[in-house]
Amino acid sequence: MIRTLIIDDEIRAREVLIKLLSMYCPMIEVVGQAEDVKSGTEAILKHRPDLVLLDIRMPDGTGFELLGRLPKINFRVVFITAFEEYALKAFKYNAIDYLLKPIDPEELTRAMSKIYNTIEHEDYTRRLRQMMDSFGNPVDSKAGRRLILKTAEGIHLVEANEIIAIEADQNYSRFFLTGGQKILVSKTIKEFDHHLKDMNFFRTHHSYLINPRHIRRYNREDLMLVMSDGLQIPVSFRKKGEVLHLLESL
């Protein structure tokens, strides 16, 4: 039996995965569950699993960040991800296992059978570290991480520290970058807020997400931040206390 730990912030996703494993993968024994980076790290150290089914995006960080906290990765990992195809190249290149959400029973069975037949760690751990480096490990370099922005014209690879601010435009997000470049992406600002929290980006207003490294001035009277490119970002009344705290911590 393969002692398996499931780490995913959505309880329904964990329940579905456990049910699928019990139906299609009798070689899998689920020994525990966790919902975020903190509880996941604790669960790994407690249960010492053979396999971890690991979500990439969680409320307090990423699956990559969780792995970066561990002194040694002496278990197999299968990532559970909603990344689009172009972002999966790093997994394929480094021969790292992944499953796309929603989980397909056939793909799950294939992945678990592969794990069962090749439950070795040494070379796999090296590949895993290489893949984390190719994504930009958030533990090692938060400021240098890249975002992949898909537009109608093409795909843009943008360094996080090049982003000055993001503005919501209905179901779109407009990126303001250093050098005056603007990129319009067909995703909501909420999705980027979730992704950029661990890089200290801050939501000043329901329509704006900013990179604090680019703040140059705060006008208290009109509740307005002035950014490095001169862009003026409004601060909502309920956020003004948090903005002052943010500025004091810079």
Side-chain angles (χ1 to χ4, degrees), residues 144-183:
R145 285 176 59 185
R146 286 182 173 183
L147 269 73
I148 302 173
L149 304 180
K150 192 174 183 181
T151 69
E153 294 76 30
I155 297 171
H156 303 260
L157 273 69
V158 175
E159 298 287 346
N161 56 10
E162 294 176 345
I163 301 169
I164 296 171
I166 305 171
E167 178 187 34
D169 186 356
Q170 296 183 3
N171 290 326
Y172 291 81
S173 296
R174 181 174 292 104
F175 281 71
F176 294 86
L177 308 179
T178 55
Q181 184 181 10
K182 298 177 185 179
I183 298 176

Side-chain angles (χ1 to χ4, degrees), residues 66-86:
L66 183 155
L67 295 173
R69 292 183 178 186
L70 299 171
K72 186 177 181 181
I73 303 173
N74 54 357
F75 49 86
R76 292 296 295 261
V77 178
V78 173
F79 287 99
I80 310 295
T81 176
F83 282 157
E84 295 184 54
E85 185 177 355
Y86 61 84

Side-chain angles (χ1 to χ4, degrees), residues 41-61:
T41 304
E42 293 171 351
I44 288 171
L45 296 175
K46 176 183 177 181
H47 294 289
R48 300 184 182 279
D50 302 311
L51 170 66
V52 174
L53 301 179
L54 180 60
D55 190 14
I56 290 183
R57 295 178 180 175
M58 291 175 282
D60 61 342

